[in-house]
Amino acid sequence: ANEIQGLPTDTAVKVEGVVMAVNTKGFVLKDDTGLILVYKEDYENSPPSVGKRVKIDGKVGIYGNLKQVVPTTVTEDEADAVEVVHGEPVNVDAEYLSSPVLDKVYYMTMEGIYRPSADKKYHNVIVEGASKQGSLKYPVQDLSSAVDHNVKFYGYFAGGNDERYYNFLVTSFEDLGEKVVELSTVAQALAGQINTTAKVKGTVAAVSKKSLILKDETGVIYVYV
């Protein structure tokens, strides 16, 4: 796994190790040297079980700054799965997201409001005070009961696709309950920190296709939908 970090993309590789976490497009693999993401956009097979030892033939790929393996074949060892120990997670909060590590896979935890897109294609985690959002990469877990709740996720970093999103592969999560947000005046919302959750009430003064102007007795605010 460590050697793959220094190889050019499209280099043919063989690697083997233990499966640490899975999603619908691949998994995280661990050997004696470290961790590597195994990912294929059109991955058709069910991912191997966590704890299984596998051998992979494939090629080196890259997503953002993160090297990964694009598999052509995945062969599972016949031995039973072993117990997986993830270790102490890196706490990914707003401060960490201001200058995150983007070039290696590591175990992490992230807390924020879970808010999927309407088509369930994107699974976002809104981290209070952060300029980036967490993005759960093709989760296998059923997260429907946690929508709009404050949730603490555990998993592995799986690539940063741009300046806004920070992707990770979920291993487990704790639903901390619905996020309670007190009603603010427009003036209080305008005075609040960037990327913090707010709730405002007022009269619509103007609209466009994707926005509106809202006003109350304290001021006027632009709302982008």
Side-chain angles (χ1 to χ4, degrees):
N2 185 56
E3 289 174 325
I4 289 169
Q5 306 299 334
L7 296 176
T9 56
D10 294 325
T11 302
V13 291
K14 295 177 181 286
V15 63
E16 65 177 291
V18 174
V19 176
M20 300 296 289
V22 301
N23 64 13
T24 60
K25 301 289 186 179
F27 49 93
V28 170
L29 188 79
K30 181 180 181 180
D31 67 9
D32 292 338
T33 69
L35 299 159
I36 193 77
L37 178 67
V38 179
Y39 173 83
K40 189 175 183 181
E41 179 63 34
D42 56 353
Y43 196 83
E44 296 178 349
N45 300 324
S46 297
S49 301
V50 172
K52 290 289 287 186
R53 176 168 285 277
V54 298
K55 295 181 180 179
I56 301 162
D57 284 88
K59 63 180 181 179
V60 178
I62 193 167
Y63 184 70
N65 296 327
L66 184 68
K67 290 286 180 70
Q68 58 191 28
V69 174
V70 181
T72 51
T73 63
V74 177
T75 306
E76 293 190 36
D77 194 293
E78 294 183 359
D80 293 338
V82 299
E83 183 180 1
V84 164
V85 178
H86 298 295
E88 190 68 24
V90 173
N91 182 31
V92 176
D93 55 11
E95 181 180 359
Y96 184 89
L97 287 172
S98 65
S99 56
V101 175
L102 299 172
D103 61 354
K104 67 177 183 178
V105 178
Y106 51 92
Y107 189 54
M108 52 171 280
T109 182
M110 176 185 283
E111 183 177 329
I113 298 173
Y114 168 58
R115 187 165 294 157
S117 59
D119 59 6
K120 301 298 190 294
K121 183 177 180 180
Y122 301 104
H123 299 263
N124 296 322
V125 183
I126 301 169
V127 179
E128 195 83 356
S131 59
K132 287 178 179 284
Q133 290 184 28
S135 180
L136 313 182
K137 201 161 187 177
Y138 309 109
V140 296
Q141 295 84 358
D142 180 8
L143 301 170
S144 57
S145 64
V147 174
D148 286 334
H149 286 199
N150 197 39
V151 182
K152 189 169 187 178
F153 291 97
Y154 295 84
Y156 287 88
F157 173 63
N161 61 343
D162 58 28
E163 294 182 353
R164 185 177 177 190
Y165 292 101
Y166 186 90
N167 298 332
F168 68 101
L169 191 158
V170 179
T171 55
S172 62
F173 67 95
E174 299 174 24
D175 188 341
L176 303 178
E178 189 172 358
K179 177 74 172 180
V180 177
V181 182
E182 298 295 333
L183 185 66
S184 300
T185 66
V186 167
Q188 288 170 330
L190 289 170
Q193 277 190 307
I194 301 271
N195 295 310
T196 55
T197 305
K199 182 189 292 185
V200 293
K201 180 181 180 180
T203 302
V204 176
V207 297
S208 72
K209 186 176 180 180
K210 291 189 175 182
S211 66
L212 57 90
I213 301 296
L214 191 74
K215 67 177 183 178
D216 67 7
E217 63 277 6
T218 69
V220 182
I221 195 166
Y222 176 77
V223 181
Y224 179 77
V225 183

